[in-house]
């Protein structure tokens, strides 16, 4: 879905950031829906979503020209400075591909060498082409497109062929957890963008926390154990999150 | 322009629309988006003596016309609050009321005394004896009339400022607890805190909240709030501040008719932190178009036909 949002576009910092959408003005759907930005161009923002729950079922009924109440841009960004002297491997899974695609396009525009691995359940969930020669690898659980299996299958192969790899990931918590365990074992750095239930996106509800591995007082969080994803995230160093 | 001013315990507020504790942070997080000075008052997130990490995630889940939360009184603690927030509040024109939570009489007292020393621009305290989400979050006071009275009495001796006791609907008789607060010297009652609720993910068969139970808020609880406010205002002679599911000027009017002197906006702030300011303008317009010169004419103006 594409939306004209000049005010948000003006304040946009980059991949990793998200918007919080009020999909229904009535209280039939009480809370906003946080959605990662999948692309931005000339005042336009792109989001990618899969119709799963009540919120996305409502969102899909919106027509060209409708107005949406959007809050944003929210959150921090992938730290691209850390890519220096590293070879980034971008990994997206399920509905978590949005910020990865945006980052991929930004890096492609800057001719920045990187690998892209996108995992999904089946062929119909993909909209890129599986092009290993161009370092774009698609995986499917059922083997209907690209490589059969999860993103881990590709990651385990490519990570050994690259000099100083660095992982950037977004996707379901189960996927991120597996990636985290794998990377810590082989001592490879990475960043990941987290998703969470969220009521406000402003730091006032304190609902969207993630537990940290080490005590650390973050700017917008009220302690040292939990970090507020909307204000201090959604991007974290891969070793800092306790799943 | 109707007169929207309300007076509670000798403190005059520009209008009856306040923001509820825990739904507006400390006010500073949204001050770039909202002209907070237009609000009748800001009730801060609960402050405890020590900082509190809060409960593990997931902490919130959407429910029909509302949400469940189990934040667990996550807060920065009174010392950091004084250091960071008191100077900010000094720059505000709106009145600030500090919400205090504790697990013992001493904790409430210690927090109040610390704020009392420095908070010249703090107009009062709201005593949270009704948080359903922590084991020792004052709920043991909030379900017992005598303990509520003793706690209120203790705090009353230490402050001349506005003292509001925030009550839970999760009790057998809310008026009984309110009477305890009044006898202890409370200037006002605010009600209701959230209603205990639970929601289960049927595929994982787990509760949607890490703490299993949470507090239900939003329009789903508005009729419970209205009923409790009406019971309270009929039973005690101190002002009642209505809370629960307010999303519009009509809801404010409904609470006033039920007997509230003022109201607090809660969950609606999460959708739109500017909703309070919009509602104030709408309440004004409502009074104008319905011939009320003074909004307080509405308080308790429920027609009892039967």
């Amino acid at each position: 879905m594409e939306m004209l949002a000049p005010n948000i576009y003006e304040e946009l910092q980059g991949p990793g950031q998200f918007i919080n959408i009020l999909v229904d003005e009535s209280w039939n759907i009480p809370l906003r829906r946080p959605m990662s930005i999948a692309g931005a161009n000339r005042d336009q923002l792109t989001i990618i979503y899969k119709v799963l729950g009540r919120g996305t079922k409502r969102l899909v009924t919106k027509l060209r020209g409708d107005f949406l109440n959007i809050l944003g841009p929210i959150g921090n960004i992938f730290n691209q400075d850390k890519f220096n002297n590293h070879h980034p491997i971008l990994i997206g899974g399920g509905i978590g591909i949005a910020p990865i695609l945006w980052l991929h396009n930004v890096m492609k525009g800057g001719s920045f060498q990187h690998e892209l691995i996108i995992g999904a359940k089946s062929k119909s969930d993909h909209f890129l082409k599986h092009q290993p020669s161009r370092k774009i690898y698609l995986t499917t659980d059922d083997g209907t497109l690209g490589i059969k299996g999860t993103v881990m299958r590709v990651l385990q192969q490519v990570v050994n062929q690259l000099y100083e790899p660095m992982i950037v990931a977004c996707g379901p918590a189960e996927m991120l957890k597996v990636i985290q365990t794998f990377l810590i074992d082989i001592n490879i750095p990475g960043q990941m963008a987290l998703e969470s239930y969220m009521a406000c996106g402003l730091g006032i509800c304190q609902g969207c926390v993630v537990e940290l591995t080490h005590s650390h007082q973050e700017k917008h969080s009220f302690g040292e154990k939990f970090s507020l994803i909307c204000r201090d995230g959604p991007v974290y160093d891969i070793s800092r999150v306790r799943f | 322009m109707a007169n929207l001013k309300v007076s509670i315990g000798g403190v005059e507020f520009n209008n009856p629309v306040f923001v509820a504790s825990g739904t507006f942070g400390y006010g500073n997080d949204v001050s770039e988006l909202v002209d907070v000075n237009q609000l009748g008052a800001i009730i801060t997130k609960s402050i405890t003596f020590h900082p509190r990490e809060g409960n593990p995630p997931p902490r919130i889940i959407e429910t029909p016309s509302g949400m469940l939360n189990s934040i667990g009184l996550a807060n920065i603690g009174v010392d950091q609050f004084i250091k960071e927030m008191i100077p900010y509040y000094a720059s505000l024109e709106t009145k600030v009321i500090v919400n205090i939570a504790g697990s013992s009489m001493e904790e409430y007292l210690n927090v109040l005394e610390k704020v009392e020393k420095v908070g010249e621009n703090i107009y009062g305290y709201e005593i949270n004896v009704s948080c359903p989400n922590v084991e020792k979050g004052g709920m043991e006071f909030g379900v017992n009339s005598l303990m509520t009275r003793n706690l209120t009495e203790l705090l009353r001796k230490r402050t001349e400022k506005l003292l509001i006791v925030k009550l839970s609907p999760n009790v057998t008789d809310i008026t009984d607890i309110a009477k305890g607060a009044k006898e202890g010297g409370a200037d006002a009652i605010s009600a209701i805190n959230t209603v205990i609720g639970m929601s289960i993910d049927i595929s994982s068969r787990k509760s949607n909240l890490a703490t299993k139970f949470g507090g239900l808020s939003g329009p789903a609880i508005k009729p419970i709030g209205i009923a409790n406010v009406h019971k309270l205002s009929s039973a005690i002679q101190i002002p009642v501040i209505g809370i629960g599911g307010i999303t519009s000027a009509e809801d404010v009017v409904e609470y006033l008719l039920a007997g509230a002197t003022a109201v607090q906006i809660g969950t609606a702030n999460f959708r739109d932190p500017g909703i309070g300011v919009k509602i104030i303008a709408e309440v004004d317009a409502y009074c104008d178009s319905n011939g009320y010169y003074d909004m307080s004419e509405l308080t308790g103006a429920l027609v009892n036909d039967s």
Side-chain angles (χ1 to χ4, degrees):
Chain A
M1 177 183 273
E2 288 183 340
M3 51 195 84
L4 195 63
N7 294 338
I8 294 177
Y9 186 83
E10 206 171 288
E11 290 183 26
L12 215 52
Q13 291 173 40
Q17 287 196 296
F18 63 97
I19 51 179
N20 212 3
I21 305 175
L22 190 64
V23 295
D24 195 319
E25 291 287 337
S26 84
W27 278 78
N28 288 330
I29 300 172
L31 301 184
R32 288 174 181 266
R33 294 295 190 266
M35 297 266 176
S36 288
I37 300 167
N41 185 25
R42 289 188 200 164
D43 290 356
Q44 288 211 354
L45 304 179
T46 307
I47 56 166
I48 300 170
Y49 63 92
K50 194 169 179 180
V51 180
L52 285 172
R54 293 189 312 136
T56 43
K57 274 179 190 148
R58 182 75 185 90
L59 196 55
V60 82
T61 65
K62 302 286 177 189
L63 303 172
R64 180 179 286 271
D66 281 356
F67 283 88
L68 266 180
N69 180 327
I70 305 170
L71 188 75
I74 306 171
N76 63 0
I77 59 174
F78 293 116
N79 187 341
Q80 294 182 52
D81 292 342
K82 287 191 177 174
F83 298 167
N84 289 335
N85 306 319
H86 282 284
H87 190 114
I89 305 173
L90 278 44
I91 309 173
I95 50 169
I97 59 172
I100 295 297
L101 278 183
W102 188 13
L103 181 61
H104 163 67
N105 286 324
V106 167
M107 293 177 76
K108 203 167 69 176
S111 302
F112 202 123
Q113 285 277 322
H114 64 281
E115 320 286 303
L116 177 68
I117 311 171
I118 303 283
K121 283 201 173 86
S122 192
K123 185 180 175 179
S124 60
D125 301 320
H126 279 296
F127 43 85
L128 292 181
K129 279 183 186 162
H130 179 60
Q131 296 172 293
S133 59
R134 302 179 74 167
K135 302 187 173 177
I136 297 173
Y137 308 89
L138 305 187
T139 71
T140 47
D141 295 348
D142 60 8
T144 47
L145 181 67
I147 295 156
K148 187 178 178 181
T150 69
V151 294
M152 286 307 294
R153 226 181 127 186
V154 184
L155 176 61
Q156 281 162 340
Q157 282 172 14
V158 299
V159 81
N160 293 321
Q161 299 159 13
L162 299 170
Y163 180 69
E164 295 284 347
M166 169 178 266
I167 277 62
V168 182
C170 184
E174 304 80 52
M175 179 190 104
L176 296 177
K177 193 178 173 181
V178 173
I179 293 174
Q180 181 192 52
T181 309
F182 174 69
L183 294 183
I184 290 172
D185 272 356
I186 56 174
N187 200 23
I188 286 176
Q191 308 170 36
M192 58 184 167
L194 300 183
E195 296 185 328
S196 170
Y197 277 109
M198 203 170 276
C200 66
L202 295 162
I204 54 178
C205 79
Q206 293 284 318
C208 61
V209 291
V210 61
E211 191 173 343
L212 300 173
T213 46
H214 301 291
S215 295
H216 179 71
Q217 171 80 58
E218 306 227 36
K219 197 169 172 218
H220 296 282
S221 307
F222 293 164
E224 300 184 340
K225 189 174 171 189
F226 300 112
S227 174
L228 203 57
I229 291 177
C230 71
R231 296 297 299 271
D232 293 321
V235 177
Y236 293 88
D237 188 280
I238 219 152
S239 64
R240 291 189 58 220
V241 173
R242 189 189 299 277
F243 286 105
Chain B
M1 289 284 283
N3 177 23
L4 301 185
K5 286 191 163 60
V6 290
S7 178
I8 300 172
V11 178
E12 190 176 75
F13 298 90
N14 283 339
N15 64 69
V17 180
F18 306 172
V19 285
S21 180
T23 67
F24 214 67
Y26 298 108
N28 59 328
D29 282 321
V30 293
S31 53
E32 277 177 31
L33 296 170
V34 184
D35 180 10
V36 297
N37 286 323
Q38 294 202 34
L39 295 166
I42 294 174
I43 322 281
T44 70
K45 180 149 186 60
S46 286
I47 304 293
T48 51
F49 192 73
H50 296 292
R52 281 185 63 98
E53 299 283 358
N55 291 335
R59 290 178 172 183
I60 56 168
I61 184 75
E62 185 176 84
T63 58
S65 293
M67 64 181 282
L68 284 165
N69 88 78
S70 179
I71 308 300
L73 297 179
N75 79 93
I76 58 180
V78 70
D79 287 336
Q80 201 183 335
F81 172 76
I82 286 170
K83 201 172 129 210
E84 291 178 11
M85 295 303 155
I86 295 285
Y88 164 66
Y89 294 145
S91 72
L92 297 183
E93 287 159 31
T94 190
K95 295 193 161 75
V96 174
I97 293 168
V98 176
N99 182 296
I100 301 177
S103 54
S104 65
M105 303 252 289
E106 289 69 35
E107 184 173 2
Y108 284 98
L109 184 64
N110 291 340
V111 174
L112 182 134
E113 286 190 326
K114 282 205 169 203
V115 178
E116 189 74 6
K117 276 181 200 155
V118 294
E120 283 174 18
N121 54 327
I122 301 296
Y123 283 83
Y125 305 95
E126 183 181 63
I127 309 307
N128 181 0
V129 290
S130 44
C131 178
N133 294 328
V134 291
E135 268 178 40
K136 290 186 171 177
M139 194 62 175
E140 65 270 37
F141 295 100
V143 296
N144 183 314
S145 182
L146 184 62
M147 283 177 80
T148 298
R149 190 184 119 169
N150 291 344
L151 176 65
T152 312
E153 211 166 52
L154 179 74
L155 300 174
R156 179 76 286 170
K157 284 180 191 156
R158 309 300 174 102
T159 184
E160 308 253 292
K161 291 178 178 171
L162 188 61
L163 197 57
I164 304 165
V165 178
K166 183 170 181 177
L167 297 185
S168 166
N170 307 308
V171 293
T172 45
D173 184 0
I174 195 169
T175 61
D176 187 37
I177 317 291
K179 282 173 189 160
K182 186 188 171 231
E183 285 165 16
D187 296 302
I189 297 296
S190 55
I192 53 176
N193 207 324
T194 55
V195 181
I196 289 175
M198 181 174 173
S199 139
I200 299 168
D201 177 345
I202 59 168
S203 58
S204 68
R205 290 186 279 159
K206 288 180 182 171
S207 168
N208 280 311
L209 297 175
T211 51
K212 197 183 272 186
F213 301 110
L216 181 64
S217 64
I221 68 163
K222 197 183 81 177
I224 304 174
I226 296 283
N228 279 289
V229 164
H230 190 55
K231 275 191 210 168
L232 287 165
S233 68
S234 311
I236 54 165
Q237 284 70 50
I238 54 176
V240 178
I241 303 168
I243 321 168
I246 295 171
T247 67
S248 67
E250 286 76 13
D251 294 339
V252 175
V253 173
E254 199 178 338
Y255 267 97
L256 295 182
L257 292 174
T261 299
V263 297
Q264 296 178 18
I265 314 249
T267 302
N269 287 316
F270 296 151
R271 278 163 68 105
D272 175 7
I275 186 105
V277 173
K278 287 175 196 156
I279 286 177
I280 293 162
E282 285 169 20
V283 168
D284 195 13
Y286 175 91
C287 288
D288 285 351
S289 57
N290 289 277
Y292 296 102
Y293 295 108
D294 194 322
M295 187 219 56
S296 64
E297 293 169 50
L298 287 162
T299 293
L302 177 75
V303 177
N304 289 298
D305 257 353
S306 48

